[in-house]
Amino acid sequence: MTAHIIDGKTIAAGLRGNVADAVHRLKRDRGHVPGLAVVLVGRNPASEVYVRNKTKAVIEAGMHPFDRNLPDSVGEDELLALIAELNADPKVNGILVQLPLPPQIDSQKVIAAIDPAKDVDGFHPLNVGRLGSGLPALVPCTPLGCVRLARTVHPSLAGLEAVVIGRSNIVGKPVAQLLLAENATVTIAHSKTADLPAVCRRADVLVAAIGRPEFVRGHWIKPGATVIDVGINRVSDAAGKSRIVGDVAYAEALDVAGAITPVPGGVGPMTIACLLLNTLRATCEQNGLPEPAV
Ligand code: GUN
């Protein structure tokens, strides 16, 4: 059996097109142009790439970018003052502070300072709590993308066994909450889980968010399962040539899984598409408009 490859790139392009259409209607009918502020501190090369891609996508969707770059040496007070300024700016509907932040800055304090209504990352404790309580919330972008991809294979996830490997605040925990909200039976596995391969083999939907290259082996996967690979790991081959691989041993998994997201081209493109979706949702909510059907 060769797994169906879930084409995240095409699915994300479709979502971005739908968001752009909704943005166009919002501008035409109500005069609102969603604005997203992306705050980058320092010169982390990976963060610079992410932020550049996000800004490009914001412009392509017809939204206003409000990029703010601060030096690596910036103090916490200065960053908090910038957040306060963006919170108060009515043209800014969404605020994203790219992580990680330099060590002199308490990331949790910065996240908590963002107006929860503008928290398009869904990291603010209020949004985390609302998601856990089953209330409407701004939800982290990568988890949202994972569930949207899983739903292209399983329009209903109700009653399915879902196993999430990884318990980070950015991916593992929120993706588990979203799968639970979809009525899946959810297990969160992690580095201390006993017999991880056996736990993974229970999964109808397996989400790998560990950050270790090709960690999940083919024989860990239940035949026919849907595999969502969140990993983005740069590895070098024997000749020193570098490439990007996921958290799943892809070639092995292809022979066992029913469906799988590739890396690159799976979850990654969905993260940015879901950021645009969250910015649109936040704009509508802030203006008393109904939730966009995107
Ligand atoms: N760094 C890595 N992933 C993310 C993300 O989803 N949001 C933010 N703000 N920073 C990140």
Side-chain angles (χ1 to χ4, degrees):
M1 181 165 66
T2 297
H4 160 68
I5 295 168
I6 304 171
D7 182 355
K9 215 169 150 184
T10 301
I11 297 163
L15 177 54
R16 282 170 62 165
N18 290 343
V19 170
D21 290 346
V23 168
H24 174 75
R25 288 193 297 273
L26 192 61
K27 191 173 175 182
R28 186 193 60 199
D29 301 340
R30 307 272 178 172
H32 297 305
V33 180
L36 175 65
V38 176
V39 180
L40 175 64
V41 180
R43 310 283 323 250
N44 177 321
S47 292
E48 284 186 333
V49 173
Y50 285 134
V51 167
R52 210 177 310 127
N53 290 340
K54 283 170 187 168
T55 305
K56 192 164 159 265
V58 165
I59 293 166
E60 279 173 18
M63 300 179 176
H64 277 159
F66 294 90
D67 290 0
R68 305 297 283 262
N69 294 347
L70 297 173
D72 198 47
S73 58
V74 73
E76 196 175 86
D77 287 351
E78 202 180 325
L79 180 53
L80 291 172
L82 172 60
I83 302 292
E85 181 195 321
L86 296 171
N87 281 344
D89 186 341
K91 295 191 292 304
V92 173
N93 304 104
I95 301 169
L96 180 148
V97 179
Q98 185 66 30
L99 302 176
L101 290 169
Q104 76 274 16
I105 295 174
D106 179 345
S107 302
Q108 287 304 328
K109 204 166 160 185
V110 172
I111 289 166
I114 296 171
D115 178 347
K118 298 188 177 185
D119 169 37
V120 285
D121 255 332
F123 295 164
H124 189 286
L126 191 89
N127 282 316
V128 175
R130 289 180 70 88
L131 172 62
S133 303
L135 296 168
L138 284 165
V139 171
C141 305
T142 301
L144 200 52
C146 290
V147 172
R148 281 190 165 240
L149 291 177
R151 287 192 56 179
T152 64
V153 181
H154 309 277
S156 168
L157 296 164
L160 296 182
E161 286 276 350
V163 174
V164 178
I165 324 173
R167 53 177 158 175
S168 72
N169 291 339
I170 293 184
V171 184
K173 281 187 257 183
V175 84
Q177 291 286 3
L178 284 174
L179 290 164
L180 189 60
E182 296 282 340
N183 296 312
T185 302
V186 183
T187 301
I188 305 179
H190 48 78
S191 55
K192 302 284 188 294
T193 296
D195 200 352
L196 185 57
V199 172
C200 291
R201 273 192 293 272
R202 292 210 304 258
D204 301 305
V205 177
L206 181 63
V207 181
I210 317 131
R212 291 175 66 174
E214 300 177 321
F215 182 70
V216 175
R217 305 296 305 272
H219 65 280
W220 298 18
I221 297 168
K222 177 175 165 176
T226 296
V227 178
I228 308 291
D229 189 349
V230 183
I232 301 177
N233 309 289
R234 187 171 287 281
V235 293
S236 303
D237 64 18
K241 200 161 164 254
S242 91
R243 63 194 173 101
I244 302 287
V245 298
D247 289 350
V248 177
Y250 186 71
E252 292 179 12
L254 266 184
D255 288 337
V256 189
I260 185 166
T261 59
V263 178
V267 172
M270 285 301 280
T271 297
I272 289 189
C274 289
L275 173 65
L276 301 175
L277 177 60
N278 276 353
T279 305
L280 173 66
R281 278 182 174 156
T283 306
C284 291
E285 177 72 23
Q286 286 161 33
N287 288 285
L289 300 171
E291 168 95 355
V294 182

